Amino acid sequence: MGYSCKGVCEEFKGDKIPNGSKYEHGQKRCTLCSIFLSVSGVRCPCCSVLLRTKPRGKRS
Ligand SMILES: [Zn+2]
Ligand SMILES: [Zn+2]
């Protein structure tokens, strides 16, 4: 526990991209900060939770 949004994610916020294609553009979603980020790592630089790299809902 102890994860929390510190507002740092704002600096890593991804460019605005039309609906649904953010993941394809390499952006990752932090579920805690509720924001898409353009970062190379797998964790949010803000709150350190693992980032989502794929859209949810598609089960293969
Ligand atoms: Zn944050
Ligand atoms: Zn975060």
Side-chain angles (χ1 to χ4, degrees), residues 3-13 28-37 39 43-52:
Y3 294 143
S4 63
C5 179
K6 306 181 188 78
V8 179
C9 50
E10 288 290 331
E11 296 178 23
F12 296 91
K13 191 160 58 177
K28 300 164 189 174
R29 182 166 178 79
C30 177
T31 53
L32 195 148
C33 299
S34 300
I35 193 171
F36 276 93
L37 303 169
V39 293
R43 287 180 182 274
C44 179
C46 175
C47 64
S48 298
V49 303
L50 280 171
L51 298 169
R52 275 193 173 279

Side-chain angles (χ1 to χ4, degrees), residues 14-27:
D15 296 330
K16 281 188 179 174
I17 290 170
N19 287 346
S21 57
K22 291 191 177 65
Y23 291 110
E24 293 174 20
H25 285 257
Q27 295 189 17

